[in-house]
Amino acid sequence: MFDKEKASVRLYEDLQHKRFHTRTFKTFLESRKKEIGTYDVTFEKVLEKVRSDINTITPDELFEINLFLSDDAYSDSTGSDYATREKKLEELYDHYGLSLLYELPTSTVCTSYMFQYGNYTHYFPIYELENYGLKHSDGGVNIDSTDFLKFNDYMILLMKMILDRKMDGYEYDFTKSEEDIIRSITADHQNNLIMFKEIESECDFIKDCSSDEKGPYAQTIYYAYAFFKQSIEMKLRIDAEKNPRIVILDSY
């Protein structure tokens, strides 16, 4: 998610003029174009969106910004340990108005998460800003935060059901705060019978399809607690008025 004011001043100025550890953002994009070929992420378009409202950024454009900043932070931290480099990158993102809500650990876990996004949007379509760009891109989505929070509620309830059924063989205790959030979500969606029916159906489907331990459905079960905890955290962090858009970068 984004801080529009920080991005329009700090990120815009530095992407336009600053030479980072090894190069400028403009020269980075020029090298990316040579590496990949024709694509529709341009220096001018990215700068204009960052200046006017970063919430209109496409996933492909954000991917290029992220790749540039992470490459620069890592290049500038040669010899540092992983935790130090990650802390530097987090501070850099915060300075520029970029907030990383969740980073999925593997491509299979990413698939597990995006399967659920696809399942939710099959029943409850979400308007996504147009994405374009890299020819090999699997893309991502830029969506309204209110819509994302509804999907996030679905994830919380689905993961809670998986955990309550002990599908991974473990028993979990939940904090009072987590239980309060579950009750609040249930009350908010009490008239959405389709969603509750689909959550139960999807839980059964995941169980039936989880025989492949390395597959996305088994990984949904294994990562259910992590999905649950992170979805709770995102619900608490996202202010739909302050942060009107959420971008999900799908796997590349």
Side-chain angles (χ1 to χ4, degrees):
M1 64 184 179
F2 311 101
D3 184 315
K4 176 182 173 181
E5 284 69 31
K6 281 185 182 180
S8 67
V9 176
R10 298 174 183 174
L11 185 60
Y12 173 73
E13 180 67 22
D14 284 0
L15 289 183
Q16 185 177 27
H17 298 296
K18 182 178 178 180
R19 179 179 177 84
F20 285 70
H21 183 56
T22 58
R23 52 190 167 178
T24 65
F25 182 60
K26 185 175 183 179
T27 57
F28 165 79
L29 284 184
E30 289 169 352
S31 67
R32 286 282 287 162
K33 187 171 184 177
K34 290 177 182 177
E35 173 189 341
I36 296 167
T38 304
Y39 71 127
D40 201 22
V41 176
T42 70
F43 180 67
E44 292 75 18
K45 284 182 181 177
V46 172
L47 278 186
E48 176 54 29
K49 289 181 180 180
V50 171
R51 183 194 65 79
S52 58
D53 186 358
I54 195 172
N55 288 288
T56 64
I57 203 92
T58 70
D60 282 343
E61 290 164 340
L62 181 62
F63 177 79
E64 297 301 321
I65 293 173
N66 280 352
L67 184 61
F68 174 67
L69 292 178
S70 61
D71 279 356
D72 180 77
Y74 276 48
S75 297
D76 198 26
S77 304
T78 304
S80 302
D81 59 31
Y82 177 79
T84 300
R85 287 180 292 168
E86 287 298 297
K87 187 174 188 302
K88 177 180 174 62
L89 188 58
E90 182 181 344
E91 291 171 350
L92 195 65
Y93 282 0
D94 179 66
H95 176 73
Y96 288 133
L98 308 174
S99 296
L100 178 62
L101 289 164
Y102 194 13
E103 186 170 15
L104 296 156
T106 70
S107 59
T108 305
V109 176
C110 176
T111 300
S112 301
Y113 187 87
M114 292 310 291
F115 270 9
Q116 292 311 317
Y117 178 80
N119 187 54
Y120 175 84
T121 55
H122 176 75
Y123 292 93
F124 308 101
I126 292 176
Y127 172 73
E128 302 167 358
L129 287 187
E130 177 187 4
N131 190 27
Y132 54 80
L134 308 182
K135 291 188 293 185
H136 70 284
S137 167
D138 291 323
V141 295
N142 178 323
I143 61 178
D144 185 274
S145 294
T146 302
D147 287 336
F148 177 80
L149 285 168
K150 290 176 182 176
F151 160 67
N152 196 61
D153 285 351
Y154 160 87
M155 281 294 288
I156 291 171
L157 294 178
L158 175 60
M159 295 307 118
K160 179 68 160 50
M161 182 173 288
I162 290 173
L163 298 173
D164 285 345
R165 291 187 179 185
K166 304 176 186 176
M167 288 167 61
D168 63 353
Y170 295 96
E171 185 168 346
Y172 296 90
D173 293 321
F174 301 98
T175 66
K176 181 181 182 303
S177 175
E178 289 168 347
E179 294 285 8
D180 288 344
I181 289 171
I182 291 292
R183 280 191 290 270
S184 175
I185 293 172
T186 303
D188 288 344
H189 297 279
Q190 61 181 329
N191 296 322
N192 193 346
L193 300 181
I194 294 175
M195 187 174 80
F196 286 104
K197 183 178 179 181
E198 179 53 30
I199 286 171
E200 187 165 358
S201 175
E202 183 65 14
C203 193
D204 293 337
F205 180 77
I206 289 170
K207 183 178 180 180
D208 292 341
C209 297
S210 62
S211 56
D212 178 5
E213 293 189 359
K214 295 183 179 179
Y217 297 110
Q219 293 296 304
T220 302
I221 295 173
Y222 297 146
Y223 276 87
Y225 189 62
F227 284 157
F228 174 80
K229 297 289 282 189
Q230 197 65 33
S231 296
I232 290 283
E233 182 181 321
M234 287 192 286
K235 185 174 180 66
L236 295 174
R237 286 184 65 189
I238 298 169
D239 180 338
E241 290 188 10
K242 183 180 178 182
N243 315 112
R245 309 293 298 184
I246 299 292
V247 173
I248 303 175
L249 293 182
D250 206 348
S251 59
Y252 281 74

